[in-house]
Amino acid sequence: MQIQDLPFPDPGVPDARSGPRFLWWLFRNQLGGQLKSLAWGLLHFASVSALPFCVGLAIQAVVDGSGSRLAVAGGLMALCCAGNALGDTFLHRAAVTNWITAAARVQQLLARKTALLGSALTRRVAAGEVVAVSTGDVEKIGWFVEAVSRFTAAALTIVLVCVALVVYEPALGVVVVLGLPVLALAVLPLLPRATRRADVQREKAGRATELASDTVAGLRVLRGIGGEELFLDRYRAASQEVRHAAVRSARMWSLISAIQVLLPGLLLIAVVWHGVHLAREGRIGVGELVTVYSSVMLLTYPLRHFEEIAMAYSFSRPSAKRAARVLALERATDTAGSRPAEVPTGDLYDPETGLLAPSGRFTAVVCGDPDAAGRLAERLGGHPSEKGTSALLGGVPLDELPLEAARTAVLVQDKDPVLLSGTLRELLDVPSSGAVDTEDALAAAQCGDVLAALVQGSVGADDPLDARITERARSLSGGQRQRLALARSLITDPEALVLDEPTSAVDSHTEARIAQGVRSLREGRTTVVFTSSPLLLDRADRVVFLHDGKAAATGTHRDLLHGEPRYRAVVTRETDEESAAHRDTAVLEGGAPGGDVLHRDVLHRLEEIEETA
């Protein structure tokens, strides 16, 4: 796999049982690139390590006055330099390719997992952690994956050089062979502490990232309540904790680096001291001494890769652990399904609650528990966040359909839909049946003022569809974002559309017009709206009231207002004291509890808004 071939057609199925297993899985899936990097690394390190032998041969030739041997030494040095240049160039190329492809594979895996889990992902993993994994962590994981092959090449080169030194000059070669393992293993006792400090740093950095993303996401609210300085102080404190942790981690790695410099220097002193004594005794020549000295000096270069692999593993292990934790998350239902990928039609029914949304009708659902409503909406969409009884569409269990077919059949708009940055045309370019055009959807969602605001805020955009939307549409109000999201959902024109509080940030007059627009545009299609707004409820064909997780009452909005006190309490936000007072008033005025006297103010308000709309 080359960089130009990205993305992967299929990134594979990762081994997400642990961080080290995930790293090993990534390494195995890039075996071809690793072997290529290993080959170029061996050429590079071997060429560098062979230079001292060439230099020693040349010096000895000069001492002996042999021109032919000097010429041979010069030719070998030129060959080593060419091998060094060639190996270093292509080693860097192969290493960068391995790094980028490994990071890209992890990003593809995370993107696929995000698409499969949908909104359930952020309920199970903090949004800041997902951001940290998909940005900084993938780079650290890629670093370790590409560093393995270079470390292997360096280790093999050191072994080959030691063998060559023992053969070339046993007296000094033995000293080198005994000293190099000490150099390589001397830092091992420090690695666990360095790893722990790196883990602490990554953990604190992750918390700071989560705090920053949460602060940015809620900046509008923070400004409204004057809480910017409070959260800024919190982030400043978290940032200082990250700095202190980074300094402590850097101190440990500085100590490891110092040892990696000190010990080779001591070995070099020992080799020179012993070599000089051997040369004085006539047991070795000057060229041989220079060869061994130069070899030991150059071995510090491949030895540096021992420190690098330790650092790469220490930094990538917590990153891989976080990535594996996200990738190990599973859907409550199988994404492949056991049925053919055919979109069913018919009534939408949830056996767990008894909720029935008849085909082609506008059904409103009132639930006093917002979390329960969110879980039910997910279940109706065929992708619940937890295992349970599947919802049925036309008698077909949605969890038995392939995920793509289930999402085509039932579209669920979350309570807090996300608008991606780009032009409005790109935002509304979604898979659809083609039966609903963009203009009709925008009109039904009452987006006229939103289009005007977008054109005004975009330079050179005469067509509203060419206007640009900022990141997460932060330049728009909450109600404007809701209406654009609703228009996007209406364009898809699914068999069943489930909307969770689609107008909670919209004023009452606009909400009344949206209710009428959605009802007209979705005529003949199944629509389910989770809401407690009387304006939407009054437009629904039928209203289902959920109490304690079960469908407790079904009827029209006005009938339920008259006959179901629990429903009335949820819709009108009526307290127990107010409910009792209304019952007393109704009795005193000769009406029955729950009669027209209790609700004439609510009904009168509905009629006023309808007339205005």
Side-chain angles (χ1 to χ4, degrees), residues 307-332:
E307 177 190 351
E308 183 195 14
I309 196 65
M311 290 184 65
Y313 180 72
S314 298
F315 281 92
S316 67
R317 188 176 64 85
S319 298
K321 182 180 178 181
R322 280 198 293 267
R325 184 164 58 247
V326 174
L327 295 174
L329 298 175
E330 296 292 341
R331 281 173 43 85

Side-chain angles (χ1 to χ4, degrees), residues 300-558:
T300 58
Y301 172 53
L303 275 173
R304 281 285 180 179
H305 288 77
F306 284 76
E307 177 190 351
E308 183 195 14
I309 196 65
M311 290 184 65
Y313 180 72
S314 298
F315 281 92
S316 67
R317 188 176 64 85
S319 298
K321 182 180 178 181
R322 280 198 293 267
R325 184 164 58 247
V326 174
L327 295 174
L329 298 175
E330 296 292 341
R331 281 173 43 85
T333 58
D334 183 15
T335 58
S338 57
R339 291 177 178 264
E342 298 177 356
V343 179
T345 59
D347 298 342
L348 183 61
Y349 176 66
D350 178 49
E352 187 169 321
T353 60
L355 169 65
L356 173 65
S359 176
R361 305 289 296 279
F362 187 159
T363 302
V365 180
V366 176
C367 180
D369 183 357
D371 292 333
R375 291 192 296 269
L376 175 56
E378 288 181 345
R379 196 159 59 248
L380 291 176
H383 39 94
S385 57
E386 53 192 31
K387 292 186 177 181
T389 306
S390 173
L392 308 176
L393 181 62
V396 177
L398 289 173
D399 63 3
E400 295 181 7
L401 290 174
L403 180 60
E404 185 176 354
R407 287 180 171 172
T408 301
V410 184
L411 174 67
V412 178
Q413 178 178 302
D414 294 333
K415 186 180 304 181
D416 299 311
V418 175
L419 301 182
L420 303 179
S421 59
T423 64
L424 181 58
R425 192 185 308 277
E426 292 170 340
L427 174 71
L428 301 179
D429 184 17
V430 293
S432 65
S433 66
V436 178
D437 59 34
T438 302
E439 290 75 14
D440 291 341
L442 290 170
Q446 300 298 309
C447 293
D449 64 315
V450 184
L451 300 181
L454 287 174
V455 170
Q456 185 178 4
S458 299
V459 179
D462 298 327
D463 187 345
L465 294 179
D466 293 328
R468 294 201 63 83
I469 297 175
T470 58
E471 181 188 5
R472 298 179 67 90
R474 299 189 193 282
S475 60
L476 300 176
S477 67
Q480 291 174 328
R481 289 196 295 268
Q482 275 192 337
R483 283 178 279 166
L484 283 181
L486 177 59
R488 179 178 59 186
S489 300
L490 293 173
I491 289 174
T492 61
D493 188 37
E495 177 64 27
L497 176 61
V498 179
L499 305 172
D500 189 1
E501 294 288 357
T503 58
S504 59
V506 177
D507 65 83
S508 58
H509 294 285
T510 304
E511 189 176 29
R513 293 192 291 268
I514 290 175
Q516 181 59 43
V518 172
R519 180 185 174 89
S520 301
L521 194 64
R522 292 287 299 172
E523 187 71 31
R525 307 289 268 173
T526 305
T527 306
V528 180
V529 179
F530 286 83
T531 183
S532 59
S533 168
L535 296 171
L536 285 173
L537 295 170
D538 198 50
R539 291 291 184 181
D541 295 319
R542 68 199 305 266
V543 178
V544 179
F545 172 58
L546 298 180
H547 183 69
D548 291 337
K550 299 295 180 182
T554 302
T556 66
H557 169 57
R558 303 193 183 206

